[in-house]
Amino acid sequence: QVQLVESGGGLVQPGGSLRLSCAASVSILRCNFMGWYRQAPGKEREFVAGITRGGSTNYANSVKGRFTISRDNTKNTVYLQMNSLKPEDTAVYYCNAYSDYYEVYGYDYWGQGTQVTVSS
């Protein structure tokens, strides 16, 4: 029942910045966890950043200090501010939400992804 829509991806030069948005169809307070994952060509999908319902955040070591995850509960939206972008950050970025509100055992929801390309 949770729909996630990512936006904000695009082409940016190394050292540049982008802000990704993930708009949820429900109150994000009904999600125990929300996060961002990415998948580069030929690579497995990997964790990038996450935020719990209580507001605790966590980051992959590769983006720590450069990326910031945040949320706006009134807009049911989670953001990923990406600064000092590197070519290695090029990937499709996916929004993820885990919620046990709608299913007995909980459920992982995924957005369709948004492409981020870092290149000169």
Side-chain angles (χ1 to χ4, degrees):
Q1 291 186 255
V2 180
Q3 298 178 55
L4 306 172
V5 180
E6 302 100 329
S7 62
L11 175 64
V12 65
Q13 294 188 115
S17 298
L18 284 174
R19 189 178 76 160
L20 306 183
S21 298
C22 174
S25 62
V26 300
S27 171
I28 59 175
L29 294 177
R30 293 178 177 177
C31 299
N32 305 61
F33 171 89
M34 296 193 71
W36 291 92
Y37 292 72
R38 67 187 182 188
Q39 186 167 19
K43 303 284 189 178
E44 294 291 323
R45 187 174 298 187
E46 65 175 352
F47 170 79
V48 176
I51 185 167
T52 69
R53 181 160 53 200
S56 298
T57 59
N58 192 28
Y59 300 90
N61 186 256
S62 59
V63 306
K64 195 175 182 67
R66 299 188 296 122
F67 291 10
T68 303
I69 188 169
S70 62
R71 67 188 182 192
D72 186 334
N73 294 334
T74 65
K75 297 180 179 179
N76 295 321
T77 299
V78 174
Y79 304 97
L80 184 67
Q81 179 66 47
M82 305 185 294
N83 298 325
S84 301
L85 283 162
K86 305 174 180 179
E88 305 92 89
D89 296 317
T90 296
V92 177
Y93 284 70
Y94 297 91
C95 183
N96 169 78
Y98 173 78
S99 177
D100 60 6
Y101 186 88
Y102 302 99
E103 304 289 342
V104 173
Y105 298 104
Y107 196 82
D108 275 308
Y109 301 88
W110 294 91
Q112 83 288 347
T114 185
Q115 177 72 49
V116 172
T117 302
V118 184
S119 176
S120 58

